[in-house]
Amino acid sequence: MNKISAFFLFVLISQGYLLAQQPDTLKGDLGEVVVVGYEGNRSVMESPGAIANVEPERITGFDEGSLLYGLNTVPGVRIEQRAPGSYRVAIRGSSLRSPFGVRNVKIYWNDIPFTEPSGSTPLNLLDVINMQEVEVIKGPAGSIYGAGNGGVLLLDSRQSEEDEVGAGIQFGSYGLQRYSAYAQSQFEGGNFRFNYSDQQSDGYRQQSFFNRETAELSGRFQLNDKQIVKTSFLYSDLHYGIPGPLTKEQFDADPSQARQGNPFALGSVEANASIDQQTFLAGISHDLQISDNISNLTTLYGTFSAFENPFNLDYKKDSRKSGGGRTRFYFDTNIGEVRTRFTVGGELQSANYAARNFENDSSQVGALNFDDEIKIHSSLVFLNTEIDLPNEFYVTAGLSYNRLEYRLNRLVTNLQGDVPGLAEKTFEPEIIPRIGLVKKFSPALSVYGSVSYGFSPPTIEEFRTNEGSIALDLEAEQGTNYEAGTRGTLIGPRLSYDITAFYFKLDETIVQQPSDRNSTVIFENTGSTDQYGIETAIDWAVIRNNSAFLQKLDWTVSYTYHDFEFKDYQKEGEDFSGNKLTGVAPHIFVSTLNAKTEAGLYGSLSYNFTDEIPLNDANTVYSDSYHLIQSKIGFQKEILDNLILDLFMGIDNLLDEKYSLGNDLNAFGGRYYQPAAPRNWFGGVKVNVEL
């Protein structure tokens, strides 16, 4: 396996070298990338932070049925899939405390806070069709976005400047069926767009079925030369199975099996372990130019969700309502001859959950364990300043004030030793500063540095655990991040690079502990971590030549080096200080080739090496490293006036690696492994018509 991977890397390097000897074909202009960043909306070359933009071609570049491909090409970012639809996102190791779900990362969709007030994000409600591009801010961004030491993801819906309709169909291994459709209509002063997707599969493992249907309607309305209103409506119906983790022996014997039962817990099939969730979201944004120098952008939203989760140990049924808004005022001025922008704003979120926990009676709702009414309030106000100093120095400095309150009223309980009553937790207000400086030496080179503070309070799933505990003593994690980097272009605009080095110190680390009541986990603050890292991204437009047969060839490389360890960490009488941070691969390397020809043929080839990962705090169990190769070929051509046909097929896990794409950390009973599918295929057709 290692020889095959080494040969593959040699081929990639050789191809890049040989193509570099053909200067006449290397023509093109990639242009500058503009990012939102810290509300700056400016060139990434002038932004003092580790910010990456995942363009549409990467999001849909391999399999439109999954978010994994595009985000995993970003150095420092690892998105795991414990089962189809069960995502876990780690930015610089931020998933340490996440046995499931997306935590410690703040996510916005169309300017709407998609992360719930509790700190968890139902990212699996979104389909790839609901995204056009993703902006990734790595490291604490609390000075303007609030809680989350991992970073921020900014997602935008698909949009076009043309009247168009389109549809697609895709089939693949393990019963994969995917149907999509969209339509956009322009009118004077605005547009409407409708996106629809329906995806289903049986899954590779037992109890790994996946069904999701999404419908999105968005609109843009230019009221006058000073006002723009945008609307976003999303309905998502998600139902997927949870096969559960396996021991090493089970993983080796039959990785397709689901978790087996025992005298204390049901097996995943017997329990029908799964999540069934229906969510409706509505949001509206108002962009107002108040004067030549002052503008405002305000977003309001509301969500309603029904959540049902039969599990091996219990059966949860929730009714969830949340809403809130975010506003910011921009004031542009000149202080002397220095351009300055002040941004002042705030964000408010509230949620109300009716959350009931039952016994799981062989996949049916059993006796009530406890019934809680949960109210959550979070808020932040922020001030950010951008100063364009002489000699192309750019300073960004920000400060935010953050509050979070949990109010849990246990209406009924049948747990031993538990009583009904009100439990309240108001976390200490957090003041979060950040400062960054960029020196732009030329349009092709800039160097930056930043210092930022971050915090991450416990989510409601950590404050109120599955087995009924309420962690009133749990406090927010505290982190400080030091960062320096350089980015620029070489060979004209054809080759761009982005290199970042950082040191992140985390205190009051929230870690998992086994529960006394059953085999679930509880959480506590303990110790600290030291996290050093280097992240490198290279994008090379090797060929741009519309008059040649091979019109386009792109080569991208990303490399992540993370040296993370516990600095001061004791648990259950053992000292784990100096051990490697659980769940973090020290080395990840990703390389991708994308090609397009004049005849309409196109293809992509991607290689991912992920190093071994410590699976427990004692560092006595590691996952194996793996080499993942993915390939896709297709034919895209305008066959009639304004009608584009796209035929494609792809192979995932070309080397048929046996690996786990989402591991359970510090797992009870040695059940660490969530096996990924072996070699599998997909294929389909898409049609687009411009009207």
Side-chain angles (χ1 to χ4, degrees), residues 535-552:
E535 297 160 353
T536 302
I538 299 173
D539 294 277
W540 186 9
V542 183
I543 293 177
R544 289 289 190 277
N545 191 341
N546 290 331
S547 63
F549 174 75
L550 184 56
Q551 295 181 332
K552 177 180 177 181

Side-chain angles (χ1 to χ4, degrees), residues 150-166:
V152 178
L153 299 181
L154 305 177
L155 316 178
D156 286 318
S157 284
R158 291 190 185 180
Q159 288 290 328
S160 171
E161 296 181 357
E162 307 292 337
D163 288 341
E164 63 176 5
V165 296

Side-chain angles (χ1 to χ4, degrees), residues 566 579-580 582-583 614-622 665-667 672:
F566 294 108
N579 285 6
K580 296 300 182 182
T582 318
L615 301 182
N616 63 358
D617 297 341
N619 289 180
T620 58
V621 181
Y622 281 75
L665 308 180
N666 295 307
Y672 295 101

